[in-house]
Amino acid sequence: MTDGIRFDSVTVAYDGHVVLDALDLTVEPGEVMALLGPSGSGKTTALRAVAGFVRPVSGRVFIGGRDVTGLPPYRRGIGMVVQQYALFPHLRVEDNVAFGLRARRVARGEIRERVAEALELVGMAAYARRHPRELSGGQQQRVAIARALAIRPGVLLLDEPLSALDARLRSGMLAELARLHRELPDVSILYVTHDQVEALTLADRIAVMDRARLQECGTPRELYRAPKSEFTASFVGNANLLPVTVGERGVFFGEQRVEVRGGVPGPEATLCVRPHLVGLGAGPNQLSGTVNEVQWRGATHRLYVGVNGHRVMADVPELRNPPAHGDAVTLHFAPEDAVLLSAGATDD
């Protein structure tokens, strides 16, 4: 299968209010693309445009090179999994999984084979005769995924599929989805989430959405290590975003000169450094400040330190004797771990 997805300047509006603004984005065949953003950012609308549940006011949607903008959902050859599973409570697991195949008038013998194959793929073969009410939330979600996979789609749409699960089940399902992707390398997956951990764990690339627009797209490592905007830096992982001035004498945070990689145009910029890359004690790019708060997080301590009127976060290995509120401390970070962003950059 070589389906893939392409948004060609897709705009969606409700009563004149634009909820998805001129989206240009390509999901390569076999790729997992996460749409990541806050509520109202346009990510679910983009997924619904692919599914055929909303019609763009302009632009085109392509699946496998075919323009599907005007096609109804059942003619698009897609599988879809939503937040609340949407299983039929009166049907057994095997009949839920078979539903889409029967709607497509697949031969009875082939239905049995595909249902068994799909349930085996998600580890639910032993539960074929049960009803949804007899399953846990994680098991119900596996059945919903099996139902989507049973039709053998070239494109799988996942709309916040783990949001209704607790933390332990969510972690397990993430591992299962990663395994499914390895076993189904030809299926293109569009994964909508507001959870950065899900996106970083599962996606080949992440499209960061905000205010109905695509802000940035790249691999998880690219967006985490070298974001291009303050929004991406703050939404994809935690980040220290500190105002700096740039001049002939270098880059300054307050009166402190700091060494960083790269540069930006203009005299004002934002310094981005991830908390886990900020160390405690002497080192390059030393910053002196006062501890405002200390949080124990098991294997680490997070320190909140006031420096030059700004709060700096530092995630350090668990300390036997952590500093107390009001203590003076020194922080440091390596030049190669800092990124300079244009002040206020949002990639609009």
Side-chain angles (χ1 to χ4, degrees):
M1 288 177 279
T2 56
D3 290 66
I5 305 166
R6 181 164 66 89
F7 297 87
D8 182 9
S9 196
V10 173
T11 297
V12 177
Y14 300 126
D15 297 324
H17 176 65
V18 174
V19 293
L20 185 65
D21 189 5
L23 176 62
D24 286 305
L25 183 68
T26 298
V27 183
E28 300 294 345
E31 181 179 37
V32 179
M33 174 73 78
L35 297 182
L36 178 67
S39 297
S41 61
K43 58 188 187 298
T44 295
T45 300
L47 181 138
R48 290 172 62 83
V50 177
F53 298 148
V54 297
R55 181 74 181 266
V57 295
S58 63
R60 316 299 293 174
V61 177
F62 295 84
I63 296 178
R66 180 178 61 143
D67 186 346
V68 299
T69 312
L71 294 181
Y74 66 87
R75 291 186 57 193
R76 299 192 178 201
I78 58 174
M80 187 169 180
V81 180
V82 297
Q83 300 178 38
Q84 300 300 330
Y85 324 137
L87 300 178
F88 298 107
H90 62 289
L91 296 180
R92 298 182 188 275
V93 165
E94 59 188 0
D95 294 318
N96 266 285
V97 176
F99 184 84
L101 297 171
R102 290 185 177 129
R104 288 165 172 77
R105 302 185 183 279
V106 175
R108 184 175 301 178
E110 187 175 352
I111 288 177
R112 284 195 300 270
E113 292 178 6
R114 289 211 206 172
V115 168
E117 177 186 74
L119 287 175
E120 184 68 32
L121 194 61
V122 299
M124 290 295 292
Y127 298 84
R129 299 291 294 167
R130 295 195 185 184
H131 286 87
R133 64 177 178 273
E134 300 174 282
L135 305 176
S136 69
Q139 289 171 333
Q140 290 183 47
Q141 192 62 294
R142 289 170 186 248
V143 174
I145 293 170
R147 181 174 60 186
L149 294 176
I151 64 171
R152 295 176 181 170
V155 167
L156 180 62
L157 307 178
L158 301 174
D159 185 10
E160 303 266 13
L162 309 184
S163 62
L165 304 180
D166 62 36
R168 183 181 63 82
L169 287 175
R170 189 179 302 121
S171 177
M173 282 302 302
L174 265 179
E176 286 299 308
L177 288 172
R179 179 185 61 80
L180 281 173
H181 178 46
R182 292 193 298 270
E183 295 187 14
L184 300 169
D186 294 326
V187 177
S188 304
I189 299 177
L190 190 61
Y191 189 104
V192 166
T193 183
H194 64 272
D195 188 303
Q196 56 184 267
V197 174
E198 292 179 20
L200 291 169
T201 301
L202 191 63
D204 296 311
R205 286 191 298 153
I206 300 172
V208 181
M209 307 285 294
D210 187 41
R211 292 169 295 167
R213 300 188 66 186
L214 174 65
Q215 298 296 320
E216 194 170 343
C217 184
T219 68
R221 181 176 292 273
E222 288 170 344
L223 297 183
Y224 191 82
R225 296 287 301 191
K228 296 178 182 177
S229 70
E230 291 184 22
F231 179 81
T232 298
S234 61
F235 205 84
V236 181
N238 293 310
N240 291 299
L241 298 173
L242 306 173
V244 294
T245 56
V246 182
E248 293 181 358
R249 295 172 51 238
V251 178
F252 285 81
F253 173 47
E255 299 299 320
Q256 174 68 50
R257 188 175 189 276
V258 292
E259 298 291 338
V260 300
R261 60 184 172 90
V264 293
E268 296 183 349
T270 297
L271 179 93
C272 171
V273 59
R274 300 294 183 181
H276 75 279
L277 298 175
V278 178
L280 182 62
N285 288 330
Q286 287 189 188
L287 303 175
S288 298
T290 303
V291 175
N292 294 328
E293 184 180 352
V294 178
Q295 295 178 351
W296 178 69
R297 300 191 172 194
T300 64
H301 275 99
R302 169 165 288 185
L303 309 181
Y304 292 91
V305 180
V307 181
N308 295 336
H310 297 275
R311 187 179 72 167
V312 178
M313 296 179 288
D315 291 340
V316 299
E318 184 183 13
L319 301 168
R320 289 185 180 276
N321 297 295
H325 175 80
D327 284 355
V329 296
T330 298
L331 305 176
H332 69 271
F333 59 90
E336 58 269 23
D337 291 332
V339 179
L340 278 182
L341 308 173
S342 296
T346 59
D347 273 18
D348 282 350

